[in-house]
Amino acid sequence: MQKQLKHRKPRLIEQIKLMEFSLGSSPPSLGLQGARWSTSGDQKFMRLGFDWDTCDMSILLHAKLAKPLRGTARIVINSLHIKGDLLFVPILDGKSILYSFISTPEVRIGVAFGSGGSQSLPATELPGVSSWLVKLFTDTLVKTLVEPRRRCYSLPAVDLRKKAVGGIIYVTVISAGNLFRSNLKGSPSRKHSFSLNGSLEEHNSDKDLRTFVEVELEELTRRTAVKKGSDPKWDSTFNMILHEESGTLRFHLYECNPGSVKYDYLASCEIKVKYVADDSTIFWAIGPQSGVIAKSVEFCGKEVEMVVPFEGVSAGELTVRLVLKEWQFADGSHSLGKFHAASPLSLYGSSNFLTRTGRKINVSVVEGKEFLVKDKSGKCGTYTKLQYGKAFMKTRTAHTPNPIWNQKFEFDEIGGGEYLKIKCYTEDLFGDEHIGSARVNLEGLADGTVRDVWVPLEKVNSGELRLQIEAVRVDDNESRGAGSGKGWIELVLVEARDLIAADLRGTSDPYVRVQYGNFKKRTKVMYKTLNPQWHQTLEFTDDGSPLVLHVKDHNSLLPTSSIGDCAVEYRRLPPNQMADKWIPLQGVKRGEIRIQITRKVPDLQKKTSLDSESSSTKAHQISSQMKQMMAKVQSLIDEGNLEALSTTLSELESLQDTQEEYMLQIETEETLLLNKIKQVGQEIFSSSSPPSHSRRSIGE
């Protein structure tokens, strides 16, 4: 209804928004004039009157008024009267009932108008609004609840009391039959001409008919290939997503004319899907002569094949195969195959599952397929962006229509039904092109369980993304890191590759600024390269702080510019085991950095001082170098040699970082020494104290 409010509104209203919607609890009156049973073929149905006259409701609209009124207004619908005749059709041996209005019902509403704070004519009826609202209600009923549009009410023998919030359904468009141009309303060849002998003939043969089917489910659409003939066979399977306990699959038939960019709409049909409280699923559609086609499956994974006639045309039918792969529920469980076991993950629906804290969500973007990429040669780069809460991640760029990334990203788990939002792009000279998006609910994932899923992209006709999702609980000790003097982090910044060019000459002068909590360090500058090699080692006391790398372009006079950054996860690394990995840079189109990182938890006796030198020698050496560098800087200032001055200042900054690194090393060794002394003292005290049972024995 919100969508209809936006697109169909009176001229006096510029914008309108639904603020409150409640139909109350007052029930309608049914069968006041009695009920009548009838039979059509093998199908029984019942007719009875429907009369709903209620004031127990609250619908509030807020409108922004157009010229000449200006201002805002409140529109309140305070009464509703719907009267008509209902048709009840029992299906599936009485397990469910389809219901609808036989014809368009009579609709009357009561409307009150109020000031929105600046209305020119407060409490005055706005011309045309009441009739517009009546038409809006009537049109909504016609599209959803007037023959042959039917709703389904299920009567399960068992109620498992599970609320379905989404599902995955495989839809196979098998074939179509009896497609004749003269019977399809959109075909341009319905224009006829007379032959020389006076007989009526068509411009084109039905054998030349080129058609395809577009499958639609909410905002997800998929399209078959184009096939020729009056009985085309496609056998195309699509992975579709339900976001509620029910949904409508719509199938639109189009004609594709050679040499034309325009598609001609021919006909359509639809199949409705609904979850039943006994864990079964119902499929129903409009049959021949507005009859009923209904099928039910007791468990997920069972195939259903349906032959559905196209609506509004005198001939033509579509054969489809449906497989409801799984239903997802509000508690995070799901139905899969013949087993109704609790599953760790609800992928596409919202969930009321209480998220446990202290966990990490690992999302591996494995690969993609059937992306809508204009350049099929492979020169066009494809990448994916992920957003979870306030965290943004990005894959590297893959130059293939079916990209393979195999990149793993880590997020802190968020409660409250937070979705993982995915957007896929292709690189373009004049701005990257969006080629599809998706959303995945990460709640309900059990510890250590990996879910491997293909996620279809929405708002496009093709494209799927393969994800592997895992929840990992971080132990308290690991989440805090090896703080309290237990060790340090050894970070080796090895190299980077495929960096973006920050300078006009097509290169960069990259260096890395490392931020670990409140500590900041940097590497040396590598000039005029997009593939720098630093091989520089930095160390930090392990206190569990976030570790972030900022890759920057060095400039002599102008401010430095960013060429990417990334976060490094180290807290779950095994002690004293080095991890060597490439990490993609965020915030830029390309670029990766290679690091080697180790969580050091050493024996104090094995830990040597920095560069195996004594503390006094190292301190004296750094002090001497600082004095020499300061003298050199002063000399270059006097000479006015700006280029050499820039290089010397960079070297001086690196020397200051070395000094900070050395001081941190001294602090680490001091802390380790104090802890070791405390530990040795405790051991001496424990060994010198006689056991309590020995003292009791002596006393006895």
Side-chain angles (χ1 to χ4, degrees), residues 561-593:
S561 56
S562 174
I563 50 179
D565 53 65
C566 64
V568 180
E569 175 53 46
Y570 65 92
R571 284 168 284 196
R572 291 189 292 109
L573 293 175
N576 299 319
Q577 293 186 23
M578 187 266 290
D580 190 328
K581 52 187 175 181
W582 285 93
I583 304 176
L585 298 177
Q586 307 299 316
V588 288
K589 291 184 177 181
R590 63 179 184 272
E592 294 178 280
I593 185 170

Coordinates of all heavy atoms in Angstrom, one line a residue, residues 561-593:
S561 N 48.9 11.6 0.9 CA 47.6 11.1 0.5 C 47.5 9.6 0.8 O 48.5 8.9 0.7 CB 47.4 11.4 -1.0 OG 48.4 10.8 -1.7
S562 N 46.2 9.2 1.1 CA 46.0 7.8 1.4 C 45.9 6.9 0.2 O 45.2 7.3 -0.8 CB 44.8 7.6 2.3 OG 44.4 6.3 2.5
I563 N 46.5 5.8 0.2 CA 46.4 4.8 -1.0 C 45.9 3.5 -0.4 O 46.2 2.4 -1.0 CB 47.7 4.7 -1.8 CG1 48.9 4.4 -0.9 CG2 47.9 5.9 -2.6 CD1 50.2 4.3 -1.7
G564 N 45.2 3.5 0.7 CA 44.5 2.3 1.2 C 44.9 2.0 2.6 O 45.9 2.5 3.1
D565 N 44.0 1.3 3.3 CA 44.3 0.9 4.7 C 43.6 -0.5 4.9 O 42.8 -0.9 4.1 CB 43.7 1.9 5.7 CG 42.3 2.3 5.4 OD1 41.4 1.4 5.6 OD2 42.0 3.5 5.1
C566 N 44.0 -1.1 6.0 CA 43.4 -2.4 6.3 C 43.5 -2.6 7.8 O 44.4 -2.1 8.5 CB 44.0 -3.5 5.5 SG 45.7 -3.8 5.9
A567 N 42.7 -3.5 8.4 CA 42.8 -3.9 9.8 C 43.4 -5.3 9.8 O 43.1 -6.2 8.9 CB 41.4 -3.9 10.4
V568 N 44.2 -5.6 10.8 CA 44.9 -6.9 10.9 C 44.4 -7.6 12.1 O 44.4 -7.0 13.2 CB 46.4 -6.7 11.0 CG1 47.1 -8.1 11.1 CG2 47.0 -5.9 9.8
E569 N 43.8 -8.8 11.9 CA 43.3 -9.6 13.1 C 44.4 -10.5 13.5 O 44.9 -11.3 12.7 CB 42.1 -10.4 12.6 CG 41.6 -11.3 13.7 CD 41.3 -10.7 15.0 OE1 40.7 -9.6 15.1 OE2 41.8 -11.2 16.1
Y570 N 44.8 -10.4 14.8 CA 46.0 -11.2 15.3 C 45.6 -11.9 16.6 O 46.4 -12.8 17.0 CB 47.2 -10.3 15.5 CG 46.9 -9.3 16.6 CD1 47.2 -9.5 17.9 CD2 46.3 -8.0 16.4 CE1 47.0 -8.6 19.0 CE2 46.0 -7.1 17.4 CZ 46.4 -7.4 18.7 OH 46.1 -6.5 19.7
R571 N 44.5 -11.6 17.2 CA 44.3 -12.0 18.6 C 44.0 -13.5 18.7 O 44.2 -14.1 19.7 CB 43.1 -11.2 19.2 CG 43.5 -9.8 19.6 CD 42.3 -9.0 19.9 NE 41.6 -8.5 18.7 CZ 40.8 -7.5 18.6 NH1 40.5 -6.9 19.7 NH2 40.2 -7.2 17.5
R572 N 43.6 -14.2 17.5 CA 43.4 -15.6 17.6 C 44.5 -16.4 17.0 O 44.4 -17.6 16.8 CB 42.1 -15.9 16.9 CG 40.8 -15.4 17.6 CD 39.5 -15.9 17.0 NE 39.3 -15.4 15.7 CZ 39.4 -16.0 14.6 NH1 39.7 -17.3 14.6 NH2 39.1 -15.5 13.4
L573 N 45.7 -15.8 16.8 CA 46.8 -16.5 16.2 C 47.4 -17.4 17.3 O 47.5 -17.0 18.5 CB 47.9 -15.5 15.7 CG 47.5 -14.7 14.5 CD1 48.6 -13.7 14.2 CD2 47.3 -15.5 13.3
P574 N 47.9 -18.6 17.0 CA 48.6 -19.4 18.0 C 49.9 -18.7 18.4 O 50.5 -18.1 17.6 CB 48.9 -20.7 17.2 CG 47.9 -20.7 16.0 CD 47.7 -19.2 15.7
P575 N 50.2 -18.8 19.7 CA 51.5 -18.2 20.2 C 52.7 -18.7 19.4 O 52.8 -19.9 19.1 CB 51.5 -18.6 21.7 CG 50.1 -18.9 22.0 CD 49.5 -19.5 20.7
N576 N 53.6 -17.8 19.1 CA 54.9 -18.1 18.6 C 54.8 -18.8 17.2 O 55.8 -19.5 16.8 CB 55.7 -19.0 19.5 CG 56.0 -18.3 20.9 OD1 56.2 -17.1 20.9 ND2 55.8 -19.0 22.0
Q577 N 53.7 -18.6 16.5 CA 53.6 -19.2 15.1 C 53.4 -18.0 14.2 O 52.4 -17.3 14.3 CB 52.5 -20.2 15.0 CG 52.7 -21.5 15.8 CD 51.7 -22.5 15.6 OE1 51.0 -22.5 14.6 NE2 51.5 -23.4 16.5
M578 N 54.2 -17.9 13.2 CA 54.2 -16.8 12.3 C 53.1 -17.0 11.2 O 53.0 -18.1 10.7 CB 55.5 -16.5 11.6 CG 55.6 -15.3 10.7 SD 55.2 -15.6 9.0 CE 56.7 -16.6 8.6
A579 N 52.3 -16.0 10.9 CA 51.3 -16.0 9.9 C 51.7 -15.1 8.8 O 52.0 -13.9 9.0 CB 49.9 -15.6 10.4
D580 N 51.8 -15.6 7.6 CA 52.2 -14.9 6.4 C 51.0 -14.7 5.5 O 50.4 -15.7 5.0 CB 53.3 -15.6 5.7 CG 54.0 -14.8 4.5 OD1 53.2 -13.9 3.9 OD2 55.1 -15.0 4.3
K581 N 50.5 -13.5 5.2 CA 49.3 -13.3 4.4 C 49.3 -12.0 3.7 O 49.9 -11.0 4.1 CB 48.1 -13.4 5.3 CG 48.1 -12.5 6.5 CD 46.9 -12.8 7.4 CE 46.9 -12.0 8.7 NZ 45.7 -12.3 9.6
W582 N 48.5 -12.0 2.6 CA 48.2 -10.8 1.8 C 46.9 -10.3 2.2 O 45.9 -11.0 2.3 CB 48.2 -11.2 0.3 CG 49.5 -11.4 -0.3 CD1 50.2 -12.6 -0.5 CD2 50.4 -10.4 -0.9 NE1 51.4 -12.4 -1.1 CE2 51.5 -11.0 -1.4 CE3 50.3 -9.0 -1.0 CZ2 52.6 -10.3 -2.0 CZ3 51.3 -8.3 -1.6 CH2 52.5 -9.0 -2.1
I583 N 46.8 -9.0 2.4 CA 45.5 -8.4 2.9 C 45.2 -7.3 1.9 O 45.9 -6.4 1.6 CB 45.7 -7.7 4.3 CG1 46.2 -8.8 5.3 CG2 44.4 -7.1 4.7 CD1 46.5 -8.2 6.7
P584 N 43.9 -7.4 1.3 CA 43.5 -6.3 0.4 C 43.3 -5.0 1.1 O 42.8 -4.9 2.2 CB 42.2 -6.9 -0.2 CG 41.7 -7.8 0.9 CD 42.9 -8.4 1.5
L585 N 43.6 -3.9 0.4 CA 43.5 -2.6 1.0 C 42.1 -2.1 0.8 O 41.5 -2.3 -0.3 CB 44.5 -1.6 0.4 CG 46.0 -2.0 0.6 CD1 46.8 -1.0 -0.2 CD2 46.3 -2.0 2.1
Q586 N 41.5 -1.4 1.8 CA 40.2 -0.9 1.8 C 40.2 0.6 1.4 O 41.2 1.3 1.6 CB 39.5 -1.0 3.1 CG 39.5 -2.4 3.7 CD 38.8 -3.4 2.8 OE1 37.7 -3.2 2.3 NE2 39.4 -4.6 2.6
G587 N 39.1 1.0 0.8 CA 38.9 2.4 0.4 C 39.5 2.8 -0.9 O 39.5 4.0 -1.3
V588 N 40.1 1.8 -1.6 CA 40.7 2.1 -2.9 C 40.3 0.9 -3.9 O 39.8 -0.1 -3.4 CB 42.2 2.1 -2.9 CG1 42.7 3.4 -2.2 CG2 42.8 0.9 -2.1
K589 N 40.5 1.1 -5.1 CA 40.0 0.1 -6.1 C 40.9 -1.1 -6.1 O 40.4 -2.2 -6.5 CB 40.0 0.8 -7.5 CG 38.9 1.8 -7.7 CD 38.8 2.3 -9.1 CE 37.7 3.3 -9.3 NZ 37.6 3.8 -10.7
R590 N 42.1 -1.0 -5.8 CA 43.0 -2.1 -5.8 C 44.2 -1.9 -4.9 O 44.3 -0.9 -4.3 CB 43.5 -2.4 -7.3 CG 44.4 -1.2 -7.8 CD 44.9 -1.5 -9.2 NE 45.8 -0.4 -9.7 CZ 45.4 0.7 -10.3 NH1 44.1 0.8 -10.5 NH2 46.3 1.6 -10.7
G591 N 45.0 -3.0 -4.7 CA 46.1 -2.9 -3.9 C 46.1 -3.9 -2.7 O 45.0 -4.1 -2.1
E592 N 47.2 -4.6 -2.5 CA 47.3 -5.5 -1.4 C 48.6 -5.3 -0.7 O 49.6 -4.9 -1.3 CB 47.2 -7.0 -1.9 CG 45.9 -7.4 -2.5 CD 45.9 -8.8 -3.0 OE1 46.5 -9.0 -4.1 OE2 45.4 -9.7 -2.3
I593 N 48.7 -5.7 0.6 CA 49.9 -5.6 1.4 C 50.2 -6.9 2.0 O 49.3 -7.6 2.5 CB 49.8 -4.5 2.4 CG1 51.1 -4.3 3.2 CG2 48.7 -4.8 3.4 CD1 51.2 -3.1 4.0

